[in-house]
Amino acid sequence: MKKFLNIGAYAMVLGLFFTSCNDNDDYQTIESIDKVKIDSVKIVNDTMDVFTVQSIKTYSTYSSHCEGFYAYDYIHNNNLTRTVTAYKYIANGPCAQGAFTGASQINFSPQQTGTYTFKFWSSDNTWITKTIVVE
């Protein structure tokens, strides 16, 4: 009987421990998604081989730490042209104030040779244009 009481006591302590660890009220809920201006783009190699992978980094400015990178809208306009629009999330809750710059990346893996044109949305009708030659 004493053995069952010890096992029950251990189970109760473990249950309370895991319950208290998972009781986290510090998370924030995403309230909305919106376009975010891409301030600059970094392409390490403007020439690359077909079937290889290159990371393309984009940089955007966020007004507070309640905002951050959410996703890209990456559109194949034709075989060699891509348009890229970045989106940010806007969360609720207490956040550190002050603008900051965040970096995100796209992994580009071309499947055919040619000169690829990338257009990154920068604001309204403004785009940052970059090219990569694939051999």
Side-chain angles (χ1 to χ4, degrees), residues 7-113:
I7 292 173
Y10 287 129
M12 187 173 3
V13 169
L14 282 174
L16 290 173
F17 174 75
F18 285 119
T19 301
S20 67
C21 288
N22 289 331
D23 187 21
N24 185 0
D25 291 333
D26 294 337
Y27 70 91
Q28 297 177 359
T29 303
I30 294 176
E31 291 188 346
S32 63
I33 307 296
D34 198 7
K35 282 184 180 181
V36 64
K37 174 183 162 187
I38 295 175
D39 299 320
S40 63
V41 178
K42 182 179 179 186
I43 296 176
V44 176
N45 299 311
D46 60 359
T47 302
M48 62 187 287
D49 294 326
V50 71
F51 301 117
T52 59
V53 178
Q54 177 175 191
S55 294
I56 300 171
K57 287 193 175 184
T58 65
Y59 299 88
S60 297
T61 302
Y62 303 95
S63 60
S64 79
H65 289 270
C66 280
E67 299 178 354
F69 176 77
Y70 183 74
Y72 288 112
D73 189 6
Y74 184 89
I75 299 173
H76 296 239
N77 293 3
N78 60 41
N79 287 341
L80 300 175
T81 304
R82 310 287 189 263
T83 58
V84 180
T85 304
Y87 288 85
K88 65 180 178 179
Y89 66 84
I90 302 167
N92 67 357
C95 301
Q97 294 303 309
F100 71 97
T101 299
S104 302
Q105 74 178 28
I106 298 169
N107 291 326
F108 175 56
S109 179
Q111 304 300 305
Q112 67 183 43
T113 60

